[in-house]
Amino acid sequence: MGSSSSPSLLLVFLLLLPSFIIAASPFPYHSNKIHIPLAGVKPSGNTLGESKRYEGSSDLVNLRYHMGPVLSSSIKLYLIWYGRWAPSQQSTIRDFLLSISDSSSPSPSVSEWWSTVSLYADQTGANVTRSLTIGGESSNLSLSRGTSLTRLSIQQVISDSIRSGLPADHRNGVYLVLTAAGVDVQDFCRAVCGFHYFTFPSMVGHTLPYAWIGYSARQCPDVCAYPFAIPAYMGRATTAMRPPNGDVGVDGMVSVIAHELAELSTNPLVNAWYAGDDPTSPTEIADLCEGVYGSGGGGGYTGQVASDGAGRQFNVNGRKGRKFLIQWVWSPVLRACAGPNAVN
Ligand SMILES: *[C@@H]1O[C@H](CO)[C@@H](O)[C@H](O)[C@H]1NC(C)=O
Ligand SMILES: *[C@@H]1O[C@H](CO)[C@@H](O)[C@H](O)[C@H]1NC(C)=O
């Protein structure tokens, strides 16, 4: 955390100490746990037999429903741009988000990818919604909460935005805090690339589902923008892929956003769909498929993905001719990782 030795900052640090302790406790924050690829080599030969379509298929995965709600009402996303973003970066991210409900994109599409997420239902029989729109946006170039955020100060950023006019939409709202290059977040790059949770009434005035995702291109692309950057230890066994929208950081974020939205929708209050016995570190539907983007994926190999005329890799199409590379998610029907670009 902050290593500044300025006396006033030290005082602030001491005043914040209780929240640091809370933040360090094993709270049920979801983290997009960093996936360590085992080896950068494509498996040779067809060791996967007939079932290439069903990556990671396993009876050992005990994904269970814990009686809580899923996000079944149409989702309104509120985007909070924290720090300086280029308009082109923002439009790539907006196009991805708006592609989730856009069934007119050519197959394999982002909306087909989301159809696996909407297979999850809650005890009332309500499925995860297929409708996502952008309800509003706010930006703060003045970095009101500094450039080193804790998990709790992300909630303060949401609270600031609501005080400045973003609606507190407790019917349909999902808040996405997107931190720009140069903003450090607790555990960013070391243990997480993004996380989702819900806000506390004491901090924000309401319980609102939210996710944070950071721009990693300057700080740790090999960790959070894989496979557009490759960790050094993977050496020459593999080469980085070319990002479909030309920005390693944004294209890397898109997959983390996809990951967090899939999990947030199926486990918004951390009491619905997850595997494992410990609700303080749930293994959710995208955690189960991290690093898998296509058929044959797993163990450090992304799986089969497509390439455009310029050699940029992608696995789904979105609106306005956009292409994205996003990880697969666990299907409760196939009991395996699934995505629309699966090959037979
Ligand atoms: C809704 O969820 C149920 C239970 O998982 C599933 O069988 C059904 O196919 C889902 N419906 C849609 C439209 O995805
Ligand atoms: C931006 O930051 C300032 C403080 O620097 C704060 O007063 C304001 O509410 C913030 N605006 C938004 C939209 O978050």
Side-chain angles (χ1 to χ4, degrees):
M1 296 269 84
S3 57
S4 166
S5 53
S6 129
S8 61
L9 275 180
L10 185 63
L11 180 63
V12 169
F13 181 83
L14 289 173
L15 288 172
L16 287 175
L17 207 52
S19 56
F20 273 78
I21 291 164
I22 291 166
S25 73
F27 238 50
Y29 289 109
H30 166 64
S31 52
N32 177 13
K33 288 165 216 81
I34 287 174
H35 169 79
I36 310 288
L38 299 176
V41 285
K42 178 175 169 161
S44 56
N46 185 5
T47 50
L48 295 154
E50 302 297 309
S51 61
K52 270 173 70 189
R53 191 181 181 88
Y54 308 131
E55 305 316 323
S57 175
S58 170
D59 293 331
L60 299 177
V61 172
N62 188 17
L63 184 75
R64 285 190 302 129
Y65 174 59
H66 297 82
M67 307 314 279
V70 300
L71 294 187
S72 54
S73 312
S74 59
I75 292 173
K76 277 194 188 156
L77 295 164
Y78 294 92
L79 311 185
I80 300 172
W81 304 98
Y82 189 79
R84 195 165 293 279
W85 288 89
S88 61
Q89 297 178 319
Q90 294 177 311
S91 65
T92 302
I93 290 173
R94 277 187 209 108
D95 282 337
F96 170 69
L97 295 170
L98 294 173
S99 295
I100 294 173
S101 293
D102 180 13
S103 54
S104 66
S105 311
S107 187
S109 67
V110 177
S111 83
E112 289 167 347
W113 169 84
W114 187 261
S115 65
T116 300
V117 181
S118 62
L119 288 174
Y120 290 84
D122 63 24
Q123 58 166 313
T124 70
N127 290 61
V128 169
T129 181
R130 303 220 53 173
S131 161
L132 285 89
T133 52
I134 294 176
E137 301 189 31
S138 83
S139 310
N140 208 326
L141 297 177
S142 64
L143 299 164
S144 53
R145 297 287 170 178
T147 54
S148 187
L149 304 177
T150 64
R151 288 176 184 250
L152 279 179
S153 58
I154 298 280
Q155 295 197 28
Q156 287 166 330
V157 169
I158 296 171
S159 172
D160 290 346
S161 301
I162 289 173
R163 270 205 305 273
S164 310
L166 204 65
D169 181 351
H170 41 80
R171 278 180 79 85
N172 306 92
V174 166
Y175 294 76
L176 292 187
V177 177
L178 304 165
T179 52
V183 178
D184 191 24
V185 174
Q186 182 179 8
D187 300 331
F188 186 30
C189 294
R190 293 169 292 279
V192 297
C193 303
F195 65 79
H196 76 86
Y197 202 52
F198 47 84
T199 62
F200 290 160
S202 59
M203 297 199 73
V204 178
H206 306 272
T207 299
L208 303 167
Y210 76 94
W212 156 74
I213 298 98
Y215 181 86
S216 65
R218 236 188 266 159
Q219 297 181 56
C220 57
D222 57 330
V223 176
C224 293
Y226 174 86
F228 304 121
I230 297 291
Y233 67 82
M234 287 175 76
R236 286 194 205 92
T238 187
T239 49
M241 290 189 175
R242 293 193 57 201
N245 298 284
D247 184 322
V248 166
V250 167
D251 279 304
M253 274 180 94
V254 164
S255 191
V256 182
I257 292 171
H259 176 122
E260 297 303 332
L261 279 180
E263 296 188 338
L264 186 152
S265 303
T266 51
N267 200 26
L269 302 179
V270 201
N271 61 5
W273 288 95
Y274 63 89
D277 293 327
D278 184 0
T280 67
S281 69
T283 298
E284 300 170 294
I285 72 162
D287 293 327
L288 291 166
C289 305
E290 222 165 276
V292 176
Y293 302 82
S295 295
Y301 171 54
T302 56
Q304 285 185 46
V305 301
S307 185
D308 70 7
R312 295 176 295 206
Q313 269 119 353
F314 67 98
N315 64 352
V316 285
N317 295 296
R319 71 201 289 264
K320 296 188 189 160
R322 290 268 194 196
K323 299 180 186 319
F324 304 100
L325 183 71
I326 56 177
Q327 70 151 87
W328 284 10
V329 293
W330 187 261
S331 161
V333 174
L334 301 175
R335 298 190 53 78
C337 298
N341 59 314
V343 294
N344 281 310

